[in-house]
Amino acid sequence: MIKINHIVEYLQLFFPLIFGLILLAVSISEKAVKKMALVVSLGIFALSFGALFFFNLTYDEVFNWIIVSNQEKTFDFLLFRTRLTDLLILSTSTALLLICVRLYNFSTKNLKLVIALLFIQFSITQFTILSDSLILLFSCFELFGILLMLMFVAVGEKEVLRPVKLFMFFWGASSALIFFSILILASVLGESKGVFDVTVSSIPVLVEEITYFTHKELFLGCLLGALLVRGSIFPFHSWGLQFIKTNIFPINILYSWFYPQLIFCVFYKLITEVFRNDMARYESLVYYLIFFSCLYHAVLIIREEKIHAKIGCFIGVCNSILYLLLFSMKVDEIKYSILFLLSYTLLASGVLFSENQEEKSVKSFEGTRYSFSHIYLFLSTMFFPVSSFFISIISIYSFFLDKNNALGLISIFSFLFVLASIVPFLYQNAFVTIQNGTDKFNIFVRLPAAVISLIMLLLGLYPHIIMELIL
Amino acid sequence: MNLGYISAHFIYIYLALIAIVLWYKDSKIKEVVLLSSSLVIATLLLSGIYFETFTSDRFVDFNISNYSRLMGILTLFVVIFYRSEKYFLDRVANFLLLPISYIFVTTEDAFILLGSAIATKSILLSSVSKNLPMNQLRKYKIIEMISIGFLLLFAVFFSISVKSPVFVDIEVENYQLYSLAMIFLVVTIIEISSGIFMGLKSHILSDSTGPARSLYFFYGIVVVLYKLILVINNLLIEAEPEFQRSIVSFIKYYAPINFFMHNFLAINQSDIKKFFNRIISSLLGLVLLSVIVVKSGSIKAELIYYLISILISYILISEIYDLAKNSTDASIINENPFEALYRRNKIATVVFILAVLNLVGIPFTYGFSSKFFFLLNYFQEGYIYPMLVILLSSVFVLPDVMKVISSLFSINKESMVLNFGMNKTLFLILFSILIVIFGVYPKIYF
């Protein structure tokens, strides 16, 4: 008996993937591709909206056919969904919709390929967020990077070569480390159990089984190192920043909106599960590292001149604080970080969206059109009270100060840095914008930033929406 | 007398058939006969999977495993793939190499092993020699002579069957002889798979075009390597513990260092073909690691799985390279034939990206699962730090690989549309489907 829930599940998971593959295969005009992308992304958004609020979805029954347990040499695809994952998927599908809206009035190199990759990317993101088996998580995470890079290469000109090389180097290094740690885990299992039967929740038990001390250290060290590289915080910051610096349209939104959520999800799954018992001795080391990363990015904000580079550093600061939160919090305290995650990704991508209103040659806000969303986004960067960013920071302070004064000080310090460096610049540009503003209304150009600022306003007024959803 | 037995001996009939057919002057008849007989033999090999394995001691000792059948299928692929080659010699080389490599894989006799190796190498030489410059040909000949020489020495010292139970009877005074032969074999393997000669040889062969390169790779490396690894594993089981330990510890250090060096040399190459050759040499060098696991049979399946994944990548990359290179305008001296490939042929672009990702081992490709299962064996033996070196040094080449991929999407107005023809496009697609299927569901193989 086929239930409506199952259809929704299948559609949600595979529809973007199939659509992307079809787009790759057929040859149609760019105009038609844009229209189709808009309609399909609207459908995907509706599906994920429904999945969060209306349907009660579990993947237990549907994916039995893929699971082959207790056999060697199989890949098990286990999916696991909670309200949190549904929320993250809703958020990424919103990003997809907004990107498609913006692309409607945008022309770039290899447009069809970019749109196809975008949809495949979305599907991969969904799988990463939902996956419970370690190998699926790892594989999808890898694929995300590869697709991001392919898209980068497909859109960009010659100037993307350096970022691509940097990206590939760091990404490859972290994949080698993750691969290595998975090998250690697999060698613990031996021949008796399936190599890929490992679910994320069963990792702590397996880690306990690693009897040889140095192997255990190696496993934890490799995994942690890989995650820190992926997070692109301090010593490895440059590849993340380079992405934003080139400022190529769909990529910067992907990096500022998709990527932090994805990495949050992976961090949340791995760190809170794996490191809960064994993290204690590394805790201070990680804190110092992240603290330094925060300050470093904050200082970089002052040094960088272009607005999108500043936004890149801003994402760096926020990411570092998020990892700080993840390392210090328990599972039931996740609501603090979720609101923060949503608000800073929204804020950064909103600014990037509104900057993309003009041609590529305009590297700052000067000369762009005045709108409500500009002013609102600038204000919320300065901790404007009626915005979700403000609310989330307040809740973070309260959380940090409850827990550890030093952590609270770290976050306050770095945000003060952000404030001191970014605000004069934004003020100046905002007023220039108002003075030079010319009105030429185009809904596809203005809609994304306006929608983002409306969401932020809504979450700022009613932050308990998120809290209730998660709980 | 069963079907497997008949199929094994059909090889001789087949060889005789080829010898007769080659006397005819009408090339049309030759081709029809050769193609149809290769189809028949491949069908027999394929159907052999469902029969029990058997060993015949009547004439030559055969050990028909699933591997030889797999080789049959792959050979069929290659034969049909190169069916429409311009040079007749290339086509004949394919047809001849099929039975000879089959004998090479299945035999357990040292002299037959040597004979088929020499035959393989001489056919290859004749196939390669038509489009190599004289000085390079001389170098290539010298290298091949050295490797044949080592094999010959090995066969002389072991003028007995290679089958492992024989060595139970080895007496103490023969021990010196035994270790000497072993050393010859190890040197041969190093020379074939990963030594400095390998780099030189692949550079020389990268100047030759068409099927010669793939043939060299397919028969000269994959087949020979697999067999020699098996032989050395068999021998090492019976060896003295001290000798075992010294060989193992040598390879334990040699393989990671070799891998590192080849990857390091790869990023210094300006020529794309040499770059990929170096990566492939480094990957082949890892095959030596399977000598470490001194449990013959335990590694077989993973080793073949690993070798075939490299083979597929190599065939796809080198084919697309050749086709792209030949189609670019001769007046434009273009170092990178992959430039703007996306504009010229979309299928080739997708296949090429898949092949490259397969080569570096990205998840959901065949290359990933093959590396995983291959390396897992050594991990479980406890060789953790050599693995760490190998994994980290594989990261070197990634930026340059991405550089090649990024050149696919550049806009080059002077480039023209590429057309591969139905035959080759079909096979490119078939191979890439293989990559994805084995990547997602490796259990099919095992």
Side-chain angles (χ1 to χ4, degrees):
Chain A
M1 184 66 194
I2 299 169
K3 292 174 189 168
I4 183 107
N5 280 6
H6 291 181
I7 299 171
V8 171
E9 282 163 3
Y10 272 115
L11 272 180
Q12 200 190 359
L13 279 174
F14 293 110
F15 183 48
L17 184 68
I18 292 166
F19 178 68
L21 290 176
I22 288 173
L23 271 191
L24 270 183
V26 297
S27 59
I28 39 176
S29 70
E30 285 195 349
K31 194 81 186 169
V33 170
K34 283 175 179 173
K35 271 182 193 163
M36 277 165 71
L38 197 58
V39 171
V40 170
S41 61
L42 198 62
I44 291 166
F45 174 75
L47 270 178
S48 39
F49 194 80
L52 182 58
F53 291 104
F54 300 113
F55 299 107
N56 184 20
L57 302 183
T58 51
Y59 283 114
D60 294 346
E61 291 172 40
V62 184
F63 284 90
N64 272 342
W65 57 277
I66 303 181
I67 300 162
V68 186
S69 58
N70 289 328
Q71 285 189 31
E72 267 185 81
K73 281 141 192 166
T74 56
F75 291 103
D76 290 351
F77 295 156
L78 272 170
L79 302 181
F80 180 72
R81 75 185 305 155
T82 56
R83 302 303 291 268
L84 171 65
T85 57
D86 278 346
L87 185 69
L88 289 181
I89 287 174
L90 178 63
S91 156
T92 44
S93 63
T94 315
L96 183 76
L97 179 63
L98 293 183
I99 288 174
C100 285
V101 168
R102 181 68 193 91
L103 275 174
Y104 198 78
N105 203 341
F106 194 83
S107 65
T108 176
K109 210 175 88 179
N110 298 327
L111 187 75
K112 190 164 77 76
L113 181 68
V114 170
I115 291 178
L117 284 176
L118 191 69
F119 278 91
I120 297 173
Q121 184 81 299
F122 175 71
S123 202
I124 293 295
T125 313
Q126 272 193 355
F127 272 110
T128 319
I129 290 172
L130 287 175
S131 67
D132 191 37
S133 69
L134 185 63
I135 196 67
L136 187 67
L137 186 73
F138 170 56
S139 309
C140 289
F141 202 20
E142 293 300 302
L143 264 189
F144 182 87
I146 298 295
L147 287 175
L148 191 64
M149 212 277 322
L150 273 183
M151 211 165 157
F152 199 45
V153 162
V155 186
E157 301 289 333
K158 281 255 159 72
E159 78 265 19
V160 306
L161 212 56
R162 185 181 141 72
V164 162
K165 277 180 153 183
L166 260 180
F167 170 80
M168 214 49 217
F169 183 74
F170 282 118
W171 192 269
S174 62
S175 1
L177 287 175
I178 292 179
F179 187 56
F180 185 72
S181 51
I182 288 182
L183 273 177
I184 293 180
L185 216 55
S187 71
V188 171
L189 288 170
E191 296 291 322
S192 58
K193 211 177 163 222
V195 174
F196 290 123
D197 275 356
V198 183
T199 56
V200 176
S201 48
S202 72
I203 293 175
V205 184
L206 289 173
V207 173
E208 288 305 310
E209 280 178 29
I210 304 177
T211 46
Y212 201 47
F213 176 71
T214 48
H215 289 191
K216 194 169 176 176
E217 296 282 290
L218 255 180
F219 171 75
L220 292 176
C222 284
L223 200 56
L224 192 60
L227 289 179
L228 291 180
V229 176
R230 284 276 159 97
S232 103
I233 67 167
F234 160 63
F236 321 105
H237 74 283
S238 51
W239 71 266
L241 193 58
Q242 291 285 338
F243 250 176
I244 292 280
K245 262 188 177 177
T246 47
N247 197 31
I248 293 168
F249 166 55
I251 310 293
N252 52 16
I253 304 298
L254 280 181
Y255 185 76
S256 64
W257 195 337
F258 270 54
Y259 190 66
Q261 303 205 351
L262 193 68
I263 206 150
F264 168 80
C265 208
V266 176
F267 258 63
Y268 170 66
K269 277 178 184 168
L270 290 179
I271 290 176
T272 50
E273 291 291 336
V274 178
F275 292 92
R276 195 180 295 148
N277 301 324
D278 300 285
M279 236 358 253
R281 34 169 189 256
Y282 300 110
E283 208 166 49
S284 59
L285 178 73
V286 173
Y287 285 167
Y288 278 124
L289 197 65
I290 292 173
F291 168 64
F292 201 58
S293 169
C294 272
L295 286 187
Y296 185 80
H297 277 103
V299 171
L300 265 188
I301 292 183
I302 301 175
R303 212 190 65 180
E304 294 290 345
E305 287 177 355
K306 305 278 165 47
I307 181 69
H308 45 79
K310 277 180 190 274
I311 291 297
C313 298
F314 169 73
I315 293 170
V317 173
C318 292
N319 270 345
S320 312
I321 288 174
L322 188 70
Y323 304 147
L324 203 63
L325 270 172
L326 279 172
F327 275 112
S328 57
M329 79 187 175
K330 295 191 184 96
V331 178
D332 55 339
E333 289 163 349
I334 194 154
K335 58 190 176 190
Y336 293 108
S337 55
I338 255 306
L339 188 63
F340 178 60
L341 171 75
L342 284 181
S343 356
Y344 87 77
T345 50
L346 277 172
L347 183 55
S349 46
V351 173
L352 288 172
F353 260 123
S354 53
E355 200 211 1
N356 275 310
Q357 289 184 0
E358 285 301 311
E359 291 295 309
K360 252 192 208 167
S361 58
V362 180
K363 291 293 183 193
S364 72
F365 283 94
E366 289 180 41
T368 50
R369 281 169 239 108
Y370 155 76
S371 68
F372 156 74
S373 51
H374 277 150
I375 301 299
Y376 183 76
L377 288 170
F378 296 155
L379 285 178
S380 45
T381 323
M382 296 181 301
F383 313 130
F384 179 58
V386 193
S387 106
S388 60
F389 193 56
F390 173 75
I391 303 288
S392 67
I393 283 175
I394 293 297
S395 63
I396 281 177
Y397 283 158
S398 61
F399 172 76
F400 272 145
L401 291 172
D402 273 354
K403 238 185 149 61
N404 185 342
N405 285 335
L407 295 181
L409 278 179
I410 291 170
S411 55
I412 285 181
F413 237 133
S414 42
F415 274 115
L416 282 179
F417 258 113
V418 173
L419 199 67
S421 58
I422 214 168
V423 163
F425 190 82
L426 286 178
Y427 255 130
Q428 183 191 345
N429 280 293
F431 286 115
V432 168
T433 308
I434 293 168
Q435 283 162 15
N436 296 352
T438 52
D439 279 312
K440 204 175 181 186
F441 191 75
N442 187 338
I443 188 154
F444 293 111
V445 176
R446 287 195 178 188
L447 198 61
V451 168
I452 286 171
S453 36
L454 273 177
I455 295 172
M456 287 187 68
L457 186 64
L458 190 70
L459 289 181
L461 287 172
Y462 304 103
H464 57 271
I465 294 177
I466 297 288
M467 303 294 179
E468 279 171 6
L469 265 180
I470 300 296
L471 295 172
Chain B
M1 181 74 85
N2 59 14
L3 259 178
Y5 185 84
I6 295 170
S7 73
H9 286 258
F10 187 79
I11 292 291
Y12 297 109
I13 304 168
Y14 180 66
L15 270 177
L17 192 73
I18 289 169
I20 296 165
V21 165
L22 283 177
W23 281 100
Y24 275 95
K25 274 182 184 170
D26 188 358
S27 60
K28 199 80 186 169
I29 292 177
K30 279 180 199 171
E31 275 181 32
V32 169
V33 171
L34 288 173
L35 189 65
S36 55
S37 57
S38 68
L39 274 171
V40 168
I41 198 89
T43 322
L44 275 175
L45 289 171
L46 191 58
S47 65
I49 292 172
Y50 299 104
F51 299 107
E52 288 177 12
T53 57
F54 87 109
T55 313
S56 153
D57 47 13
R58 183 171 301 173
F59 178 43
V60 180
D61 280 350
F62 277 115
N63 185 7
I64 297 188
S65 59
N66 280 342
Y67 173 64
S68 53
R69 289 163 190 141
L70 205 64
M71 292 300 291
I73 299 165
L74 272 175
T75 314
L76 183 73
F77 264 112
V78 176
V79 166
I80 297 177
F81 190 58
Y82 292 119
R83 186 165 53 85
S84 53
E85 275 306 319
K86 202 162 67 182
Y87 295 105
F88 181 66
L89 196 62
D90 286 339
R91 277 173 285 163
V92 171
N94 278 308
F95 295 123
L96 283 178
L97 279 167
L98 165 69
I100 291 172
S101 64
Y102 183 73
I103 288 170
F104 187 87
V105 169
T106 51
T107 186
E108 292 201 341
D109 188 292
F111 273 111
I112 303 266
L113 191 76
L114 177 71
S116 48
I118 291 173
T120 314
K121 279 172 185 295
S122 52
I123 292 169
L124 276 174
L125 196 63
S126 64
S127 172
V128 165
S129 59
K130 71 178 182 306
N131 45 21
L132 269 186
M134 207 55 207
N135 57 340
Q136 294 217 335
L137 191 62
R138 200 178 302 132
K139 272 187 211 163
Y140 178 72
K141 273 179 183 166
I142 292 169
I143 294 167
E144 289 296 346
M145 288 305 285
I146 292 170
S147 87
I148 287 175
F150 276 120
L151 269 178
L152 186 67
L153 283 171
F154 165 76
V156 168
F157 281 114
F158 272 113
S159 51
I160 36 175
S161 169
V162 187
K163 236 165 141 184
S164 51
V166 178
F167 293 106
V168 181
D169 303 333
I170 281 185
E171 290 171 17
V172 185
E173 56 262 31
N174 284 341
Y175 176 67
Q176 302 267 330
L177 211 66
Y178 181 84
S179 33
L180 206 58
M182 279 294 296
I183 288 165
F184 287 140
L185 203 58
V186 171
V187 169
T188 318
I189 287 181
I190 287 172
E191 189 273 309
I192 289 171
S193 68
S194 61
I196 42 163
F197 288 134
M198 173 61 196
L200 198 61
K201 208 149 78 170
S202 66
H203 285 348
I204 290 171
L205 286 163
S206 66
D207 289 339
S208 76
T209 53
R213 236 163 350 105
S214 303
L215 281 177
Y216 152 74
F217 189 80
F218 183 44
Y219 299 102
I221 301 289
V222 176
V223 177
V224 174
L225 208 57
Y226 168 72
K227 184 65 185 179
L228 291 184
I229 291 280
L230 279 198
V231 170
I232 209 168
N233 262 342
N234 279 345
L235 294 181
L236 213 56
I237 288 171
E238 307 295 333
E240 294 272 311
E242 280 178 32
F243 185 68
Q244 256 185 24
R245 223 171 294 135
S246 61
I247 292 261
V248 163
S249 63
F250 167 69
I251 289 171
K252 192 173 89 184
Y253 293 110
Y254 178 79
I257 291 170
N258 175 63
F259 187 77
F260 173 83
M261 278 309 292
H262 273 286
N263 274 327
F264 185 71
L265 288 173
I267 52 175
N268 290 324
Q269 302 294 338
S270 54
D271 188 25
I272 285 184
K273 210 185 326 185
K274 287 182 179 174
F275 169 70
F276 280 117
N277 276 334
R278 279 288 176 193
I279 296 180
I280 286 163
S281 309
S282 70
L283 287 173
L284 280 177
L286 286 186
V287 168
L288 274 173
L289 282 173
S290 54
V291 175
I292 290 181
V293 181
V294 196
K295 277 180 282 172
S296 183
S298 69
I299 189 63
K300 259 188 194 172
E302 284 89 348
L303 178 61
I304 303 154
Y305 193 61
Y306 178 72
L307 281 174
I308 292 174
S309 88
I310 302 174
L311 172 74
I312 289 176
S313 286
Y314 184 83
I315 288 181
L316 290 181
I317 290 172
S318 62
E319 277 312 309
I320 294 174
Y321 182 92
D322 278 356
L323 293 166
K325 184 104 182 166
N326 295 338
S327 69
T328 41
D329 197 351
S331 62
I332 310 162
I333 298 164
N334 193 356
E335 282 191 355
N336 182 2
F338 299 120
E339 188 107 16
L341 191 65
Y342 182 69
R343 304 254 150 193
R344 292 148 72 197
N345 191 328
K346 291 197 169 50
I347 291 174
T349 314
V350 172
V351 173
F352 179 76
I353 290 174
L354 260 180
V356 170
L357 294 185
N358 185 44
L359 191 67
V360 294
I362 302 296
F364 288 131
T365 60
Y366 183 11
F368 171 72
S369 60
S370 74
K371 282 190 189 66
F372 187 89
F373 294 127
F374 186 69
L375 293 181
L376 194 60
N377 280 296
Y378 311 105
F379 225 82
Q380 283 168 346
E381 293 281 312
Y383 298 99
I384 284 188
Y385 292 102
M387 282 309 121
L388 195 58
V389 171
I390 287 167
L391 284 177
L392 287 181
S393 52
S394 65
V395 177
F396 285 155
V397 292
L398 288 181
D400 281 22
V401 166
M402 278 359 279
K403 195 174 141 192
V404 176
I405 290 184
S406 72
S407 70
L408 298 178
F409 298 101
S410 67
I411 298 169
N412 190 351
K413 281 168 192 163
E414 291 171 71
S415 58
M416 47 193 176
V417 176
L418 258 180
N419 200 358
F420 284 180
M422 197 59 208
N423 204 3
K424 294 214 163 167
T425 310
L426 196 67
F427 275 88
L428 292 183
I429 291 171
L430 269 179
F431 272 121
S432 48
I433 287 173
L434 209 63
I435 289 175
V436 174
I437 287 178
F438 275 153
V440 175
Y441 206 69
K443 204 187 157 206
I444 291 175
Y445 171 80
F446 289 100

